[in-house]
Amino acid sequence: MGDLGKMLNPKTVAFIGADDRAGSRERSILDNLLSSEGRRIWAVNPDKRKVLDLDCLSSVSDIDEHIDLAVIVAPDDLVLSATEECGNKGVEGAIIISPGPEGSIEERKGFEERIWEIRKRCGMRVIGPNSGGVILPRIGLNATFLEADLLPGSTAFVSQSGTIAAAMLYWGIYNRIGFSMFASLGSMADVDLSDLIDLLQEDYFTKSIMLYVERIKDAKKFISASRCFARDKPIVILKPGRYPESTEALIAHTGIKVGNDAVYDAAFKRAGIVRVKETDDFFDTAKVLISRSLPRGPRLAVITNSGGIGIIAFDALVEQKGRLAVLSKAGMEKLDRIMPCSWSRSNPLDLSRDADVERYAQVTDVCLKDDGVDGALAALEARAGGHL
């Protein structure tokens, strides 16, 4: 059986469809693969004798050593034969960048089923087709056509959409945020979300996972993998299609029935997955996940200069299954010496309209040192001519 771990930490890589035409997708992939150190890169293209400084072979079967990873970029009518050659060669796994036929839903489904049959018969793992590729910054592997120097980090990002994946990658680069893995899975003829969650559970460097999901192939498998990971580390998910109309649009986009969103929502909650609704929330969550100071648990102190803002924060906290922290007796006594005489002695902590930076800092310090508090949210209503 193909080994997903070996496939994603390859010593030998075959690039099927290698080309060095300036500006081409194939050239970008080739440059990315050659930028990694300690790996043997083989170029395969029957129409080429040489690409850059590499001799070009006609077929992967001509390579005289074991191949851990094949990256396939071939015309649609050659993808299946290239995949089968890799399987017969004993390649551990393939990333199929090629999208496959653009015909009817039935034609696309038949194409993916034939890839699955090859994978099952030969024991080779397959990411794709229509994959955007995989980047593992810590080991220097970039098997994508994206021109990106991604920093290593502790959050894995896995997406079914190449567009969303690319946006997330370039946002990470712009904000100097690193990832432990970046993966665009495409059509998921074989390797799916659950497979990567299971793999990442064993990865010491991955402390959280962010998922962009349009559909789930095997709900039972996904829930099982997610629950195991979410026991100790957070999983955050963005899934479109929350309403009947958008679900229809999603079905038209993917060609596959995606199911009732209420069922997805309940399943995510059962598995301990945090669901966000918008891309802005997704990016904000990424910033939180890479923070060195994550909350210890769900008990939150809400610190504000506006009672209204405090109640809004309270509603959002309850919606996300968190709860307001109850400070210890010693903590309350410390706050009594800081807060206005008329304060409510309750959480949310209303610092009053005249709160300045020093009061915010003092109250936050007391809360974060209190055994009854896992984290603190400081919310400010800015006012013209105010202190902050």
Side-chain angles (χ1 to χ4, degrees), residues 136-138 153-158 179-182 196-210 229 232-235 289:
L136 293 159
R138 200 171 300 277
S154 60
T155 297
F157 178 71
V158 182
F179 295 93
S180 61
M181 173 186 282
F182 169 89
L196 288 190
I197 292 172
D198 282 336
L199 183 71
L200 291 166
Q201 186 176 358
E202 304 299 323
D203 180 38
Y204 170 81
F205 297 103
T206 298
K207 307 303 181 185
S208 57
I209 299 177
M210 300 182 66
F229 189 94
D232 302 309
K233 307 172 187 178
I235 299 180
L289 292 177

Side-chain angles (χ1 to χ4, degrees), residues 3-10 68-69 92-95 125 127:
D3 188 319
L4 188 58
K6 287 183 179 179
M7 169 188 175
L8 295 179
N9 189 9
D68 295 321
L69 173 64
E92 296 289 345
I95 297 174
R125 302 310 308 266
I127 293 177

Side-chain angles (χ1 to χ4, degrees), residues 33 38 63 75 93 107 128 134 142 204 214 338 386:
L33 290 174
I63 300 173
E107 288 176 317
V134 176
N142 185 345
Y204 170 81
E214 293 177 347
I338 301 170

Side-chain angles (χ1 to χ4, degrees), residues 280-329:
D280 284 347
D281 296 333
F282 211 31
F283 294 148
D284 289 342
T285 301
K287 293 179 182 179
V288 172
L289 292 177
I290 65 165
S291 171
R292 296 181 180 180
S293 303
L294 293 174
R296 297 187 297 268
R299 303 171 302 173
L300 193 70
V302 178
I303 305 166
T304 179
N305 63 345
S306 167
I309 288 180
I311 298 302
I312 293 171
F314 185 15
D315 285 342
L317 178 65
V318 172
E319 187 178 41
Q320 296 298 322
K321 306 302 180 184
R323 61 179 186 267
L324 287 175
V326 178
L327 276 78
S328 65
K329 182 180 178 181

